[in-house]
Amino acid sequence: MESKLLETTLASVGCTSPEDREKVLIAREGEWRNMLSKQQTHGRMVMMHNASIVGEKIVTVAQSYVKDKLMDAVKDATDRMPPEVLENERLLYDALEMNEEVDLWTKARRSMEGPWRFILIPSPIPNAFVSEILPHRIFMTTALFEAFVESQDELALVLGHEISHLILGHSSARNSLETSFRTIEILLLSLDPSEGLLSLAFMSFLASCRSAIGAVQSRENERSADELGIKLTAMACYDTQAASHVFYKMHKHNVESGMESSKKVGWSGLSSLFDSHPPSEERFRALLEESREENREKYSETSCASLKKIFLNAIKPSSDGGN
């Protein structure tokens, strides 16, 4: 089942032939340390090396961030509970389970915890994404590096943005919205006494509503993922001001290719980063402004210091001399 899901995921970005699938590179956490140790310095191995280093740092700070937010949510919820609830374990558990903030961060922690894998896909389609159906994986395409990502700072912001969508439950919320509208449509069809005439009119109206609500939800999701993504990038000790320029490059590409003005699909119907995350100059300017507050200096004594210690320890020679 998992292999079929992976095959479908690869096909969504144009990786369909057996030859292409054989070129897919997969690294687990920590494997970046030996990634270039065997003179494997060709382009894809360098991409995979950078993806693994950056991916591991972003995942590490994201896990820490989610853990802290869950603790804060639980504390805030329990601070407002009466003594009779706090003293009864069953009532306390039920109350916490019903709390929206606690539920959000519980699901986020469940999504983030565990070992992660970083997957580089040979594809002419620039994309990076995290999938709920194939958890604990970050997918990136070679075209993302070739066309837009020129530094680890830029890659960190792209991956931080994608992880943020997962943390904030945007995919689940979008699926829930779609399910709600589909349920209404089915009910209308089953209850319509006019042999479908009324249902057709209502379904047309619902389609317009779904499109409008989906557009608003998408803009809000992108904004919140940008805000959390740049925070995670700063927490991982990357230069957020330099990183922000990757969004300008994407915006410029969209304008020059005519994809932004025409809203056309620019990659032969395949899934590109621009379909779900349309870049704009407004988003770039917002990120640039946000980088004044969210930068690595802000976290130099906290998450940056912790990450540096973890990674310095990781690259130290083992006590047995590597034998």
Side-chain angles (χ1 to χ4, degrees):
M1 179 64 176
E2 185 172 302
S3 62
K4 285 292 183 183
L5 289 172
L6 180 59
E7 190 175 308
T8 301
T9 300
L10 296 178
S12 72
V13 289
C15 182
T16 55
S17 70
E19 294 77 16
D20 283 340
R21 288 199 291 270
E22 285 181 6
K23 295 177 184 176
V24 173
L25 297 176
I26 302 176
R28 290 170 173 79
E29 287 185 45
E31 291 186 351
W32 54 268
R33 297 164 196 140
N34 304 314
M35 194 75 59
L36 300 179
S37 62
K38 300 178 180 178
Q39 306 302 316
Q40 295 174 314
T41 56
H42 60 78
R44 287 192 301 118
M45 287 305 299
V46 173
M47 291 177 192
M48 188 75 258
H49 180 253
N50 288 328
S52 300
I53 292 176
V54 175
E56 186 167 338
K57 288 183 178 180
I58 291 295
V59 166
T60 299
V61 297
Q63 288 172 336
S64 176
Y65 176 81
V66 166
K67 180 180 177 181
D68 289 343
K69 292 296 286 186
L70 176 57
M71 291 174 62
D72 290 343
V74 170
K75 184 179 184 306
D76 182 61
T78 54
D79 283 347
R80 293 182 280 114
M81 290 180 187
E84 57 269 24
V85 173
L86 295 174
E87 294 167 4
N88 186 306
E89 186 175 321
R90 184 182 61 79
L91 292 178
L92 176 60
Y93 178 82
D94 289 345
L96 289 174
E97 194 176 37
M98 295 297 294
N99 184 282
E100 288 187 7
E101 280 293 300
V102 172
D103 182 58
L104 169 67
W105 295 111
T106 298
K107 289 177 179 176
R109 187 170 185 187
R110 192 179 301 127
S111 297
M112 289 303 306
E113 287 303 310
W116 280 69
R117 281 176 272 183
F118 312 103
I119 301 174
L120 182 67
I121 308 168
S123 169
I125 314 300
N127 209 341
F129 55 94
V130 178
S131 170
E132 288 188 341
I133 62 172
L134 287 169
H136 303 126
R137 294 169 175 85
I138 300 178
F139 296 89
M140 294 153 276
T141 65
T142 51
L144 177 71
F145 292 86
E146 293 163 348
F148 302 111
V149 171
E150 299 179 69
S151 68
Q152 290 190 2
D153 298 311
E154 293 180 339
L155 180 60
L157 184 54
V158 172
L159 300 189
H161 179 95
E162 296 306 317
I163 286 284
S164 295
H165 278 300
L166 177 69
I167 290 172
L168 298 172
H170 290 162
S171 179
S172 297
R174 184 169 60 250
N175 291 340
S176 178
L177 178 67
E178 283 292 319
T179 300
S180 297
F181 275 104
R182 296 299 180 194
T183 301
I184 293 172
E185 289 173 357
I186 291 170
L187 284 172
L188 283 172
L189 285 171
S190 64
L191 298 174
D192 185 4
S194 64
E195 298 183 350
L197 295 177
L198 287 174
S199 292
L200 286 173
F202 275 115
M203 287 172 70
S204 176
F205 173 72
L206 283 173
S208 299
C209 290
R210 180 168 60 238
S211 177
I213 294 172
V216 171
Q217 186 185 59
S218 178
R219 285 194 297 271
E220 291 175 349
N221 288 351
E222 290 305 306
R223 191 178 302 114
S224 57
D226 281 348
E227 291 173 358
L228 178 53
I230 200 167
K231 178 185 284 290
L232 296 177
T233 304
M235 289 175 67
C237 217
Y238 288 104
D239 183 342
T240 51
Q241 183 178 19
S244 301
H245 288 273
V246 72
F247 277 82
Y248 181 74
K249 285 185 282 185
M250 292 178 183
H251 161 67
K252 187 178 178 182
H253 168 85
N254 252 16
V255 172
E256 291 176 351
S257 65
M259 289 167 63
E260 182 174 73
S261 59
S262 66
K263 306 299 181 185
K264 67 183 178 183
V265 177
W267 303 98
S268 303
L270 298 172
S271 176
S272 94
L273 191 69
F274 307 125
D275 299 328
S276 53
H277 312 299
S280 68
E281 187 170 4
E282 180 186 358
R283 286 181 64 192
F284 161 64
R285 296 296 175 191
L287 284 166
L288 204 57
E289 181 66 27
E290 191 71 19
S291 70
R292 296 183 180 183
E293 172 66 22
E294 291 296 337
N295 52 65
R296 56 189 172 190
E297 287 76 21
K298 178 179 178 180
Y299 301 99
S300 61
E301 301 298 323
T302 53
S303 60
C304 273
S306 299
L307 268 184
K308 284 180 179 178
K309 185 176 180 180
I310 291 171
F311 275 69
L312 284 174
N313 287 336
I315 61 177
K316 284 181 180 178
S318 59
S319 58
D320 64 358
N323 296 322

